Amino acid sequence: MTTETETSSNGLMLFVSWVVVGVPLVWGVYNTLLKLPALFR
Amino acid sequence: MGFFDRDRTIAGPGFSRWLVPPAALAVHLSIGQVYAFSVFKLPLTKLIGLTKSAPNDWTQPQVAWIFSLAICFLGLSAAVFGRWVERVGPRKTMAMAAVCFGGGFVISAFGVWWHQLALIYLGYGVLGGCGLGLGYISPVSTLVKWFPDRPGMATGMAIMGFGGGAFIGSNLSLLLMDNFKTASSVGVGKTFIALGIIYFCYMLFGSFIVRVPAENWKPAGYIPPTHSHSLITTGNVLVAQAFRTPQFWLLWIVLCFNVTAGIGILEQASPMIQEMFPGKILAPAAGGFVALLSLFNMAGRFIWSSTSDYTGRKTIYIVYLLLGALLYCLIPFAGRSGNVIFFVSVCVVILSMYGGGFATIPAYLKDLFGPMQVGAIHGRLLTAWSVAGILGPVLVNYIREYLKNRGASGVALYAPTMYLMAGLLVIGLICNLCVQPVAERYYFKGDSPGK
């Protein structure tokens, strides 16, 4: 594998990994944020 | 040489160290579900009666033991298996944590279907608890080795996942229960199976992508300190020796009291705000307050821990403990003032520092004892969490009950406890101020700690 393809596959893996952990976290936080207006109403 | 062996996880040239935090997050976001276990509390007490508890249904105190057992076994397994974790590396540990945590859910599902509470104690409590402990400490050592220049940020990111896991866990569990609910079932059994499979796969993903750095690897441009300065050592202390140092026990007290104070508020947050602001704050608003505290608990883990890379660990703990003590003293004043925004602001800062205390401790241990066995040392220190997990809620609940029986109400129900928590933080502050560099006689002199 050339250095260039190695770097691009590394970059893709990096992107996919962060998406896999980021999406559920954002979804969980978003659903929790929906409960906040009740406190300040 | 098997896929899960440590030697198979050594990163090759060109590997990006930024792949390691997602691996750690995958595990911590999963095991953080334990903080959301309360969503199963009511459904588990209505397995037979469905709409309301039948005489043969389990009671809330019986169900509450599932969570307590899980937290207890988290601390115990982290302490007992710490050295094994260091020896076999993060991949095998994360995979084992996935088996225990996912398997715990599956066993618990049978406990639900056969209505055997002991099976849930064994499944989620004991086996799942071991999964929590293994999963919690598995990435710590690896992260501090990959990020010697920013250990606070790296471990803060992972441990933030433990806080964030509660948000995913609670919303996902409610979604699944709603989906699996039928006229003859509350849907908990199938939800446990689904969660077991989802978390098993998610944790295994972390196990697959995690790597350990090659021997003597260091980030580009990073110059490791050649002399020990202030509290950052250049030596390494083995877990068996660390256990004998005063620094370990001082930090044990610091963590224990910081967690005791925070967990006391977190556990009692909903009734506390409703009783302090009667008629002004009702149950839905109290739910919003709990959600806000959890968000700050999560954010504090990353923000405070990352800040400690610049301020130093001892300084940041001075902030947590000193500012924390002052804010605890302000809570009764905020309650009496009737100003909800003021009260909420004080509480969220306290909870952010509670999370920060959890997240900064691995980097503090790395500074004092070196990176070699920091995961195992961290595992032993987590017994402080087990103690605090009992101490905090017991103090808040029992003092409140005692005062209520004597006719107290509103702010008066909580004011003495808040001053007591402030006192505990002051003791923690004194312990933190006593922390000095570890004496060289404790340093490990060989090349490898042995298998």
Side-chain angles (χ1 to χ4, degrees):
Chain A
M1 197 191 281
T2 64
T3 310
E4 201 176 313
T5 42
E6 206 171 79
T7 310
S8 65
S9 68
N10 212 340
L12 181 68
M13 187 68 186
L14 202 60
F15 175 74
V16 171
S17 302
W18 279 101
V19 168
V20 168
V21 293
V23 169
L25 182 60
V26 171
W27 175 77
V29 170
Y30 171 73
N31 277 286
T32 307
L33 282 174
L34 294 178
K35 295 175 189 159
L36 290 189
L39 176 62
F40 299 106
R41 201 167 288 152
Chain B
M1 192 164 54
F3 175 75
F4 290 100
D5 285 350
R6 187 190 174 88
D7 291 344
R8 286 284 294 272
T9 60
I10 297 172
F15 177 84
S16 169
R17 62 176 174 164
W18 289 100
L19 262 171
V20 182
L25 272 170
V27 173
H28 273 243
L29 285 172
S30 301
I31 60 175
Q33 181 278 339
V34 71
Y35 273 148
F37 193 78
S38 59
V39 298
F40 295 115
K41 243 179 162 180
L42 276 180
L44 282 172
T45 60
K46 295 178 193 167
L47 292 175
I48 297 172
L50 299 177
T51 50
K52 61 176 184 175
S53 293
N56 286 340
D57 262 318
W58 301 324
T59 63
Q60 282 217 27
Q62 283 178 312
V63 170
W65 273 105
I66 303 168
F67 175 81
S68 302
L69 270 173
I71 292 294
C72 180
F73 274 85
L74 183 161
L76 288 176
S77 58
V80 171
F81 295 116
R83 285 173 71 177
W84 178 79
V85 169
E86 295 292 352
R87 199 173 68 238
V88 303
R91 180 174 286 169
K92 195 178 266 184
T93 312
M94 287 177 178
M96 192 53 77
V99 169
C100 291
F101 194 59
F105 269 113
V106 174
I107 291 174
S108 300
F110 285 98
V112 169
W113 288 325
W114 298 339
H115 208 253
Q116 292 292 327
L117 189 57
L119 262 185
I120 306 185
Y121 288 159
L122 185 71
Y124 192 90
V126 178
L127 190 63
C130 289
L132 293 175
L134 289 174
Y136 196 91
I137 61 170
S138 60
V140 167
S141 191
T142 308
L143 281 167
V144 298
K145 283 168 192 157
W146 274 115
F147 292 87
D149 47 341
R150 306 281 303 277
M153 181 215 66
T155 56
M157 207 184 294
I159 292 173
M160 175 191 75
F162 196 74
F167 301 130
I168 301 172
S170 62
N171 291 302
L172 183 62
S173 305
L174 291 171
L175 202 73
L176 289 170
M177 273 195 287
D178 203 39
N179 192 46
F180 292 132
K181 195 164 60 181
T182 61
S184 59
S185 163
V186 288
V188 179
K190 284 182 180 171
T191 301
F192 277 175
I193 293 284
L195 287 177
I197 294 169
I198 292 168
Y199 284 132
F200 174 75
C201 296
Y202 204 55
M203 290 168 83
L204 223 48
F205 165 75
S207 160
F208 286 159
I209 62 170
V210 76
R211 296 284 187 282
V212 293
E215 196 81 20
N216 298 324
W217 175 91
K218 59 180 191 309
Y222 172 68
I223 301 160
T226 47
H227 300 290
S228 297
H229 62 93
S230 59
L231 287 175
I232 303 176
T233 180
T234 54
N236 281 294
V237 181
L238 298 184
V239 61
Q241 287 297 317
F243 209 49
R244 298 192 177 102
T245 63
Q247 286 82 355
F248 177 89
W249 292 106
L250 288 169
L251 287 192
W252 194 96
I253 296 169
V254 167
L255 182 68
C256 183
F257 287 169
N258 192 45
V259 176
T260 298
I263 219 167
I265 283 206
L266 200 56
E267 200 262 347
Q268 196 65 14
S270 175
M272 185 168 79
I273 193 168
Q274 291 181 70
E275 285 176 324
M276 281 200 176
F277 300 95
K280 214 170 178 178
I281 296 287
L282 302 174
F289 176 59
V290 175
L292 193 65
L293 290 184
S294 305
L295 280 172
F296 273 80
N297 173 19
M298 181 187 78
R301 288 167 192 245
F302 180 65
I303 295 167
W304 285 110
S305 189
S306 300
T307 310
S308 76
D309 287 332
Y310 301 99
T311 61
R313 261 44 94 169
K314 191 171 180 175
T315 310
I316 206 89
Y317 270 93
I318 291 173
V319 175
Y320 298 158
L321 298 160
L322 187 61
L323 182 59
L326 291 172
L327 292 175
Y328 271 97
C329 292
L330 271 182
I331 286 184
F333 176 72
R336 284 191 199 100
S337 73
N339 188 332
V340 179
I341 301 284
F342 180 32
F343 174 82
V344 170
S345 306
V346 170
C347 289
V348 295
V349 178
I350 285 176
L351 257 292
S352 77
M353 294 192 297
Y354 160 77
F358 265 123
T360 317
I361 211 81
Y364 207 164
L365 293 171
K366 181 255 173 192
D367 288 355
L368 287 169
F369 300 109
M372 187 181 275
Q373 289 202 333
V374 68
I377 299 168
H378 184 221
R380 296 256 174 117
L381 200 79
L382 289 183
T383 50
W385 184 3
S386 302
V387 173
I390 298 168
L391 196 59
V394 163
L395 281 176
V396 173
N397 288 313
Y398 280 79
I399 294 174
R400 180 186 165 278
E401 278 306 301
Y402 173 79
L403 294 170
K404 198 171 185 181
N405 291 338
R406 297 196 145 213
S409 64
V411 178
L413 285 174
Y414 296 97
T417 317
M418 296 304 126
Y419 298 132
L420 178 65
M421 297 301 187
L424 290 181
L425 290 183
V426 170
I427 296 171
L429 177 67
I430 294 165
C431 290
N432 184 50
L433 291 172
C434 292
V435 173
Q436 296 296 322
V438 175
E440 283 195 21
R441 67 175 183 279
Y442 292 109
Y443 285 8
F444 175 66
K445 302 290 193 305
D447 296 327
S448 158
K451 309 273 170 177

